[in-house]
């Protein structure tokens, strides 16, 4: 069984788009896809009235610990609440992947590419992604690394990456506005 998160209701199949080369990422653990229900930059743009483009940034504040437990990290204060609170969505279940699809195991899960679609065999509605994430963390199924508990060195690395993005994305005011609002600690004295 594999799982996929989406804010799109009533999917009977997960579409694959061979033309754009973007794979679907599925996980064998339901809890591991909860983070896919929202995106901090996209949510900020929707709330602030900006258009959003998914190719602005490739950073994802997530990974796995040494025991293979999914970890969701806060790159700025209250990022998990800010990104997921009040967001609803769906966790789709897939029990078979068509043989014509290419599959590749990665750290993020099973990447599936090809054309056509993957049939869905079930779906769970998640009324609040934040509450579901907290519940999974309380049960030990995932780990949350809160900003206030990050090491000073990790915060310096994040700040350096944010400063680089800020300089390199000068022509994308929506993304820079997101960085200015959420990463004030990293952009002090930017002017």
């Amino acid at each position: 069984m594999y799982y996929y998160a989406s804010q799109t209701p009533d999917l009977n199949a997960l579409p694959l788009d061979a033309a754009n080369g973007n794979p679907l990422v599925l996980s064998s653990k339901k809890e591991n896809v909860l983070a896919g229900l929202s995106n901090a930059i996209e949510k900020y743009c929707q709330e602030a009235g900006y258009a959003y483009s998914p190719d602005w940034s490739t950073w994802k504040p997530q990974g796995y610990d040494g025991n293979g437990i999914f970890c969701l990290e806060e790159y700025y204060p209250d990022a998990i609440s800010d990104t997921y609170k009040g967001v609803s969505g769906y966790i789709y279940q897939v029990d078979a992947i068509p043989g014509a699809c290419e599959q590749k195991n990665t750290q993020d899960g099973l990447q599936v590419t090809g054309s056509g679609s993957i049939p869905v065999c079930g779906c769970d509605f998640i009324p609040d992604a934040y509450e579901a994430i907290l519940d999974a963390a309380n049960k030990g199924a995932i780990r949350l690394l809160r900003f206030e508990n990050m090491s000073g060195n990790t915060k310096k690395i994040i700040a350096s990456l944010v400063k680089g993005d800020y300089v390199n994305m000068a022509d994308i005011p929506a993304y820079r506005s997101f960085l200015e609002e959420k990463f004030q600690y990293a952009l002090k004295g930017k002017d």
Side-chain angles (χ1 to χ4, degrees), residues 124-169:
D124 292 324
F125 176 68
I126 307 297
D128 189 306
Y130 180 67
E131 293 300 325
I133 287 168
L134 291 181
D135 185 55
N138 288 336
K139 292 177 180 174
I142 65 173
R143 286 186 46 224
L144 303 180
L145 179 56
R146 299 292 188 170
F147 180 79
E148 61 269 14
N149 296 328
M150 284 187 171
S151 72
N153 190 51
T154 298
K155 289 179 184 176
K156 285 180 185 176
I157 292 168
I158 293 168
S160 176
L161 294 171
V162 167
K163 288 175 186 174
D165 264 8
Y166 190 82
V167 169
N168 294 331
M169 302 292 189

Side-chain angles (χ1 to χ4, degrees), residues 50-118:
Y50 289 113
Y52 169 72
S53 176
D55 59 349
W56 291 342
S57 177
T58 57
W59 60 267
K60 294 188 296 184
Q62 62 194 46
Y64 292 83
D65 69 11
N67 297 317
I69 303 294
F70 181 80
C71 300
L72 187 58
E73 301 176 357
E74 286 189 319
Y75 281 10
Y76 58 88
D78 299 318
I80 295 172
S81 172
D82 186 54
T83 303
Y84 298 101
K85 195 169 195 171
V87 173
S88 62
Y90 305 86
I91 304 296
Y92 291 98
Q93 300 150 16
V94 172
D95 63 1
I97 298 171
C101 298
E102 292 184 35
Q103 302 176 39
K104 179 182 176 186
N105 283 311
T106 69
Q107 178 179 337
D108 292 330
L110 182 67
Q111 287 186 352
V112 182
T113 56
S115 58
S117 60
I118 302 171

Side-chain angles (χ1 to χ4, degrees), residues 13-70:
L14 304 179
L16 293 170
D17 185 357
N20 73 15
N22 292 330
L24 285 179
V25 179
L26 308 174
S27 176
S28 60
K29 293 182 180 178
K30 183 178 179 179
E31 297 85 0
N32 291 3
V33 299
L34 289 169
L37 290 173
S38 189
N39 172 300
I41 302 165
E42 183 177 9
K43 186 177 182 205
Y44 171 81
C45 287
Q46 289 171 347
E47 291 173 351
Y50 289 113
Y52 169 72
S53 176
D55 59 349
W56 291 342
S57 177
T58 57
W59 60 267
K60 294 188 296 184
Q62 62 194 46
Y64 292 83
D65 69 11
N67 297 317
I69 303 294
F70 181 80

